[in-house]
Amino acid sequence: MKGGLDVTELEVVGDTARTGTHPVLEALAQRRAEGSKPGQRTDKYKIALAIEGGGMRGCVSAGMASALIDAGLGDCFDEVYGSSAGSLVGAYWIANSFGMVQYGCSLYYDLLTGKNSKKFFIDKTRALTLLGYGYVRWFTPRKIKELLGFRQKGLPLLNLSYLLRSCVEDMRPLDWEGFAARQKLIPLHIVASDVVAKKAVDLTLQGGHWSNIREMTLAMSVSIYLFIYLRGVCVLLYTHAHTHTHKHTYIYLYTHTHTHTPIYTYMYL
């Protein structure tokens, strides 16, 4: 820096914090007071709700999204953007039928914890193999139960099929009709990564990326799965998601490392 000063030696004079109400909060408060509805705004703004991901931290985002509904702000946003777990929370938030957001929250603390989690969702022993200690897994109770037929074999570290199919479609079914109706007014944008173009990609119903709940949860998978590079051979397996107007390809990578452990990830093309 000029004068040879280190950044830790700088002295800040005055209060740099913002004072007063944030203009976005003012706009939201005005919309709530007016009873403003999506598609019928009287102001010039477009306000989006961005919901972060983070695996099980999605429970925190779900609680915050639920609080927005309780605060009467459910009709005050124009679009919803979600990444990873945030896209799932966003779908329940948009559905917004009575208790739907809280209903979706319960997915985290009822279905992804306890016995269900250990049996269907998380296999911590898979981490041993990923770290190069796969032989240790043969001496774990989980592996022994698999060999004896008491547990399903071949599950990954995180079984997202249990989350996005068993939970979202069966045990905590998303109100698809309610979602589809409100989604026309408040679109859901699922943010994923295009590994070919090296940029973010926006997956939407309006863009033809899905037309039903199964196709939507597949698009969520694209956002949720992590991209992992390890030495080994990648074999392209998975195939297509079709809609009535578009054809989109979600390529499923099956990567074998030197420990012969499958690593799953998605690419969007």
Side-chain angles (χ1 to χ4, degrees):
M1 297 182 65
K2 188 176 181 180
L5 289 175
D6 186 83
V7 67
T8 58
E9 299 175 305
L10 294 177
E11 181 181 355
V12 178
V13 178
D15 187 359
T16 60
R18 173 186 289 273
T19 59
T21 305
H22 194 284
V24 174
L25 293 180
E26 290 181 344
L28 290 173
Q30 184 66 26
R31 287 182 174 184
R32 182 178 63 178
E34 294 176 351
S36 178
K37 299 294 182 181
Q40 304 174 21
R41 305 296 185 202
T42 58
D43 57 42
K44 60 182 179 180
Y45 307 116
K46 177 178 285 188
I47 303 178
L49 176 62
I51 307 177
E52 68 172 353
M56 289 299 289
R57 286 190 327 206
C59 184
V60 177
S61 299
M64 296 170 69
S66 177
L68 290 176
I69 297 294
D70 292 340
L73 297 172
D75 289 327
C76 296
F77 293 89
D78 302 299
E79 296 182 340
V80 174
Y81 286 79
S83 173
S84 189
S87 62
L88 180 59
V89 174
Y92 281 99
W93 191 89
I94 289 174
N96 197 27
S97 56
F98 179 76
M100 179 54 62
V101 181
Q102 292 86 345
Y103 182 66
C105 287
S106 69
L107 181 150
Y108 285 96
Y109 50 77
D110 282 345
L111 304 182
L112 300 184
T113 57
K115 294 182 179 180
N116 282 331
S117 172
K118 293 180 181 179
K119 188 174 182 180
F120 302 112
F121 185 50
I122 299 177
D123 181 1
K124 295 180 180 178
T125 64
R126 285 291 181 189
L128 295 170
T129 312
L130 296 176
L131 295 172
Y133 300 101
Y135 63 92
V136 178
R137 189 174 185 273
W138 284 86
F139 302 97
T140 63
R142 178 124 192 171
K143 183 62 177 179
I144 294 173
K145 290 180 180 180
E146 287 179 0
L147 294 173
L148 295 176
F150 295 114
R151 285 193 182 275
Q152 184 178 347
K153 296 180 181 179
L155 292 179
L157 181 63
L158 291 176
N159 183 14
L160 291 186
S161 293
Y162 168 72
L163 168 62
L164 295 176
R165 292 197 177 182
S166 299
C167 295
V168 177
E169 295 185 22
D170 298 326
M171 290 184 283
R172 291 293 186 277
L174 175 71
D175 177 8
W176 175 256
E177 292 185 0
F179 167 81
R182 280 182 57 82
Q183 213 276 157
K184 296 176 181 178
L185 300 173
I186 309 177
L188 174 65
H189 300 260
I190 299 176
V191 181
S193 298
D194 186 328
V195 296
V196 176
K198 299 180 181 178
K199 65 179 183 180
V201 62
D202 181 10
L203 308 178
T204 64
L205 186 147
Q206 288 81 354
H209 297 100
W210 73 77
S211 61
N212 54 55
I213 190 169
R214 180 60 58 85
E215 291 177 353
M216 184 181 71
T217 54
L218 177 59
M220 289 178 178
S221 298
V222 178
S223 180
I224 292 173
Y225 272 101
L226 299 176
F227 298 108
I228 304 175
Y229 174 79
L230 293 173
R231 294 180 181 179
V233 180
C234 295
V235 181
L236 303 183
L237 290 179
Y238 226 35
T239 149
H240 310 289
H242 297 277
T243 69
H244 59 286
T245 56
H246 294 77
K247 174 180 171 183
H248 299 277
T249 304
Y250 304 97
I251 297 182
Y252 194 47
L253 297 184
Y254 183 66
T255 306
H256 273 291
T257 68
H258 64 283
T259 57
H260 303 291
T261 301
I263 306 252
Y264 301 97
T265 186
Y266 278 101
M267 290 197 311
Y268 169 80
L269 295 177

